Amino acid sequence: MKIRRTLIGLAAVAAALGTFTTAATAQAAYKAEYRMSLVLGPPTPWGQAGKVWSDLVKERTQGRINMKLYPGVSLIQGDQTREFSALRQGVIDMAVGSTINWSPQVKELNLFSLPFLMPDYAAIDALTQGEVGKKIFATLDKGGVVPLAWGENGYRELTNSKRPIKSPEDLKGMKIRVVGSPIFSDMFTALGANPTQMSWADAQPALSSGAVDGQENPLFLFTILKMHTVGQKYVTTWGYVADPLIFVVNKDIWNSWTPADQKIVREAAIEAGKQEIAIARKGLVEADKPLLKDIAAMGVTVTALTPAEREAFVKATRPVYDKWKATIGPDLVKTAEAAIAARKK
Ligand code: X2X
């Protein structure tokens, strides 16, 4: 009986010690691996963003923080519109994500999807690097994630298998794959097309089989995936929408790191974002736009719009702009419009 009591006593002491040890090392209780979600993997600029971020962090934390890339939003079975919720819930530890995919949960992110809001790269920078960027980060922070840096998916150009598109009439009845964010369905409906919402995972087979006629995405994706081989013979550079990428970390994960490690992760994200934006714009910012030449060399008809032709698309989508301005928040949209008007070109 006495021995038993002693044993119980020892067990209690051990348990207490155990608790103490756990508390003392709580901050050092890092996971062996962190799960980073992405839609596109390497070799796309988006995938490069994740890789550069992960490599820098691993090196600078001497391996304490090891972020593994999960492209294809594979942690949530390819359903990219659930990425933000999964991040908050901790199903995903961190992500480099498109504003489009998170906009169903964070309505302010639809700002970047307003048709023809951002006429050039300087306009994108005026938003992400200015007051608007700060406001969006504050919103994301309130929304339950820690935003760290901006990257870029890019200008989403229109491709299809049917004909050159120079006017909304050319789009009439065309089946266009759009992302699962309602503003895109609204825009293509306003243009007279027949939009079909689907994930990127479903879009690729749909293009191959001809279930859809066209899609819109940054042009690096056209060359990387060789979209001309799935019948996409026509490209129109209309520059209607560009989606930034945002580097974020789940709040609990962030809080489990030491301030020194948080600093490393944040600075690495900012660096990776800068590098990635340069990669995403490569071939499109040079005067002769070599990326467009590469695409034309694939036997693809590349159509650039005259200002008057472009204006017809702007006009046709204006009701969508006005409708979504109210949803996004008129003040935020006004701040964005003013920042763009004042941008340095
Ligand atoms: O699904 C798309 O079109 C993509 C890859 O561009 C996004 O994730 C927004």
Side-chain angles (χ1 to χ4, degrees):
M1 199 58 187
K2 201 171 173 205
I3 292 172
R4 195 165 165 242
R5 216 175 284 148
T6 312
L7 281 178
I8 292 170
L10 278 174
V13 170
L17 274 175
T19 318
F20 177 74
T21 319
T22 315
T25 53
Q27 205 144 44
Y30 283 24
K31 296 212 271 180
E33 182 184 290
Y34 294 93
R35 293 159 302 180
M36 185 201 299
S37 179
L38 311 153
V39 178
L40 305 176
T44 66
W46 192 334
Q48 288 300 312
K51 189 174 181 322
V52 172
W53 189 25
S54 170
D55 287 350
L56 287 175
V57 166
K58 193 172 190 171
E59 186 195 314
R60 293 175 184 174
T61 61
Q62 278 96 41
R64 277 192 303 283
I65 298 178
N66 177 21
M67 309 193 290
K68 189 175 171 207
L69 275 57
Y70 288 86
V73 250
S74 57
L75 296 165
I76 43 168
Q77 294 78 49
D79 187 355
Q80 64 211 59
T81 54
R82 283 204 299 123
E83 192 177 51
F84 193 78
S85 312
L87 260 165
R88 287 169 46 151
Q89 291 158 4
V91 174
I92 292 169
D93 297 322
M94 66 249 332
V96 181
S98 162
T99 50
I100 296 174
N101 295 328
W102 300 351
S103 61
Q105 289 82 33
V106 187
K107 61 180 178 26
E108 289 83 353
L109 292 178
N110 284 294
L111 174 71
F112 300 98
S113 302
L114 282 177
F116 301 100
L117 170 68
M118 302 179 292
D120 49 34
Y121 286 113
I124 304 177
D125 296 341
L127 300 191
T128 58
Q129 307 307 311
E131 182 64 24
V132 167
K134 287 204 191 93
K135 284 192 170 157
I136 298 262
F137 271 20
T139 303
L140 288 172
D141 191 71
K142 259 193 242 141
V145 301
V146 181
L148 301 176
W150 293 93
E152 189 164 292
N153 193 23
Y155 276 104
R156 306 180 66 88
E157 311 298 10
L158 191 56
T159 81
N160 84 92
S161 60
K162 296 279 187 227
R163 55 185 167 264
I165 292 171
K166 285 191 177 162
S167 69
E169 290 73 57
D170 295 328
L171 257 173
K172 211 172 178 84
M174 219 182 254
K175 268 184 263 159
I176 304 290
R177 174 268 171 174
V178 292
V179 289
S181 176
I183 189 172
F184 286 86
S185 296
D186 283 0
M187 287 189 278
F188 281 89
T189 301
L191 290 169
N194 179 5
T196 311
Q197 283 193 7
M198 59 181 84
S199 70
W200 181 242
D202 292 337
Q204 296 173 77
L207 286 167
S208 298
S209 71
V212 294
D213 303 317
Q215 62 91 45
E216 44 78 70
N217 249 301
L219 289 177
F220 65 76
L221 204 54
F222 191 97
T223 48
I224 288 173
L225 293 179
K226 301 187 171 56
M227 285 195 198
H228 62 298
T229 63
V230 291
Q232 298 293 292
K233 298 284 190 203
Y234 303 96
V235 169
T236 297
T237 54
W238 61 341
Y240 83 130
V241 162
D243 50 329
L245 300 177
I246 307 180
F247 295 64
V248 300
V249 175
N250 165 279
K251 262 205 175 139
D252 293 334
I253 296 292
W254 181 258
N255 291 330
S256 74
W257 292 336
T258 62
D261 281 344
Q262 289 175 346
K263 186 166 180 272
I264 290 174
V265 173
R266 183 187 298 278
E267 286 174 0
I270 292 169
E271 253 178 79
K274 279 192 189 135
Q275 284 185 32
E276 188 270 340
I277 289 172
I279 300 172
R281 295 180 183 182
K282 198 164 174 286
L284 294 167
V285 281
E286 300 82 356
D288 58 341
K289 300 194 176 175
L291 187 58
L292 298 186
K293 285 190 178 157
D294 292 348
I295 291 173
M298 295 166 156
V300 172
T301 304
V302 180
T303 304
L305 302 177
T306 64
E309 285 166 348
R310 192 172 184 274
E311 199 47 39
F313 288 95
V314 175
K315 212 172 147 209
T317 52
R318 193 66 206 189
V320 180
Y321 188 108
D322 294 337
K323 172 186 161 186
W324 281 86
K325 183 173 180 172
T327 307
I328 294 161
D331 286 346
L332 183 63
V333 177
K334 268 185 222 145
T335 308
E337 289 167 342
I340 291 170
R343 76 193 182 282
K344 285 197 207 83
K345 280 189 223 173

